[in-house]
């Protein structure tokens, strides 16, 4: 595996929550595993005046709370590479000073002109910061194929947080703005779900075994459910959530990425290009639901008032009469040979019964049932089921039918279960860490391609645009907090002769 290059990670919007809660703790953990480059600097950029030391002290508090293990000596060592630069990233005036600071790092710390810009700012600032970076001539690699040899060449890459646009059009426009300054291979559209162990484990499960792939298609799989539910409400992100909603926040981004790994064809190899090529094809194959089908393919909801929590519509920051969904269940079809006729159900919600992120692959029942007349402890043979749990546990379970010992003959469904923690005895790392290191290594395998993002938007647009007006009309408080969502979501499944995987 390629080692990460020396570099400076420049975080725009460094005083935000993401830096303190996720990025710095993740980097601290990565340093402990020896995965960071030796010559490495973090430069946080934000408007407030602050010294390096003041920022380090603030970050130490957060790392103690959010990193897996706190070791003051290790932190003190790591904190030396963390620096702060006060300035307004949307203003041209800041950039000469920033450029000087970066050059100083190159001279004193051997960071070799390599820059990893991280946009951890409001999405409304993305395009202007990218333009400022270009105006300040901070990107030299864009003119990359000139003069120096690849090994000597410095690089400049950019990591962009979600939301990546708010619809198909704005995503395409953002992609164009980025593409005018950075090459696609230097644009890292981050999705923390792709840093979760299970996503890469999916590649291994599918393609390093022989027993799954031959049946991984519409002939054997009845349907797939991809669920990410949370018990928490929208918290204090009310205004953000009201302008975003569950489809944009979770389905278009995270759940479609999980989908891509579940549904993709085997890549030719394990390079980023090979993997991304297959993912693009898969996301592009998602059928664009016709406006007439929206009502039968989706259920949206908003959580009602609970014992200790106000109804979503009554929260400060949420517009009166808002029709933004805190819950969404969507059925999508994939128009390709592998999946024709096998629906994928996506489901996400706030204030739900359980925190659960999982993939359920429901196989069809056997072609002929020899056991119709034989008692079954749960009513009958229903088909194997593979459940890949991502959170709260990282575990894979396979349900299959077995004879109950003794006579007369009886059948029961039983499970084989593999728990990642127990099997390997290692805790999963904070998802951001390995992703950041990948960007320093120039590995885009776990980052989204431009076309994937735009195709993902295209697939969910019918549930967001005017075609969804009908299903938004009556969503106010249509599910109780702590429940599994609106009753209509169960009806959606029942119409298809299926049920959600809830309590087992
Ligand atoms: C974020 C969403 O991207 O993912 C949040 O904006 C959500 O609303 C979070 O809570 C869920 O992430 P995880 O890793 O806890 O499943």
């Amino acid at each position: 595996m390629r080692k990460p290059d020396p570099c400076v990670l420049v975080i725009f919007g460094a005083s935000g929550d993401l830096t303190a809660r996720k990025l710095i703790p993740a980097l601290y953990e990565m340093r402990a595993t020896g995965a960071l480059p030796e010559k490495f600097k973090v430069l946080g950029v934000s408007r407030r005046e602050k010294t390096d030391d003041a920022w380090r002290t603030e970050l130490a508090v957060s790392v103690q709370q959010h990193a897996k293990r706190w070791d003051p000596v290790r932190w003190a060592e790591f904190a030396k590479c963390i620096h702060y630069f006060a300035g307004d990233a949307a203003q041209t005036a800041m950039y000469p000073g920033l450029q000087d600071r970066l050059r100083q790092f190159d001279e004193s710390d051997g960071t070799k002109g390599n820059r990893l810009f991280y946009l951890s700012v409001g999405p409304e600032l993305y395009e202007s910061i990218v333009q400022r970076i270009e105006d300040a001539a901070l990107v030299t690699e864009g003119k990359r194929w000139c003069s120096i040899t690849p090994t000597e060449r410095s690089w400049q890459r950019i990591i962009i947080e979600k939301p990546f646009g708010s619809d198909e059009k704005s995503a395409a426009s953002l992609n164009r703005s980025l593409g005018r300054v950075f090459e696609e291979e230097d644009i890292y559209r981050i999705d923390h779900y792709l840093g979760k162990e299970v996503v890469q484990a999916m590649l291994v499960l599918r393609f390093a075994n022989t027993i799954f792939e031959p049946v991984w298609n519409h002939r054997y799989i009845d349907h797939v459910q991809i669920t990410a539910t949370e018990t928490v409400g929208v918290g204090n992100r009310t205004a953000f959530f009201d302008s975003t909603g569950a489809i944009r926040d979770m389905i278009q981004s995270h759940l479609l990425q999980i989908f891509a790994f579940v549904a993709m064809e085997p890549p030719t190899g394990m390079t980023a290009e090979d993997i991304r090529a297959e993912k693009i094809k898969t996301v592009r194959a998602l059928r664009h639901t016709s406006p007439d089908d929206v009502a039968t393919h989706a259920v949206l909801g908003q959580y009602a008032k609970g014992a200790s929590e106000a109804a979503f519509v009554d929260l400060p920051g949420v517009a009166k009469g808002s029709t933004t969904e805190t819950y969404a269940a969507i059925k999508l079809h994939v128009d390709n040979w592998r999946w024709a006729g096998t629906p994928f159900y996506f489901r996400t919600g706030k204030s739900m019964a359980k925190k659960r992120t999982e993939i359920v692959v429901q196989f069809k029942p056997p072609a002929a049932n020899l056991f119709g007349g034989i008692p079954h402890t749960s009513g009958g043979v229903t088909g194997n089921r593979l459940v890949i749990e991502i959170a709260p546990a990282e575990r894979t379970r396979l349900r299959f039918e077995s004879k109950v010992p003794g006579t007369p003959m009886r059948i029961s469904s039983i499970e084989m279960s593999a728990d990642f923690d127990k099997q390997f005895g290692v805790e999963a790392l904070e998802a951001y860490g390995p992703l950041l290191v990948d960007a320093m290594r120039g590995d885009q395998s776990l980052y989204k391609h431009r076309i994937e993002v735009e195709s993902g938007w295209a697939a969910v647009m019918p549930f967001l645009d005017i075609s969804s007006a009908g299903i938004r009309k009556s969503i106010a408080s249509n599910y109780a907090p702590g429940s599994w969502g609106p009753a209509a979501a169960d009806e959606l499944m029942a119409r298809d002769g299926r049920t959600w995987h809830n309590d087992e």
Side-chain angles (χ1 to χ4, degrees), residues 162 192-193 196 230 237 249-250 254 350 355 357:
K162 85 183 221 312
H192 80 276
Y193 265 53
K196 294 187 190 265
E230 294 175 277
R237 299 157 83 214
D249 190 40
M250 293 297 290
H254 306 318
K350 301 278 184 194
K355 163 84 184 166
T357 314

Side-chain angles (χ1 to χ4, degrees), residues 22 161-162 191-193 196 228-230 232-234 237 240-241 244-246 248-250 253-254 348-350 355-357 390-391 430-432:
K22 299 283 185 187
E161 265 294 331
K162 85 183 221 312
D191 184 319
H192 80 276
Y193 265 53
K196 294 187 190 265
T229 52
E230 294 175 277
V232 290
V234 299
R237 299 157 83 214
F240 159 79
F241 203 88
T244 306
R248 290 188 171 93
D249 190 40
M250 293 297 290
S253 46
H254 306 318
T348 187
K350 301 278 184 194
K355 163 84 184 166
R356 180 175 285 181
T357 314
I390 302 169
E430 163 57 52
Y432 275 95

Side-chain angles (χ1 to χ4, degrees), residues 5-26:
D5 299 324
C7 62
V8 186
L9 171 66
V10 185
I11 307 176
F12 292 105
S15 51
D17 225 27
L18 183 79
T19 309
R21 281 196 312 119
K22 299 283 185 187
L23 303 183
I24 299 293

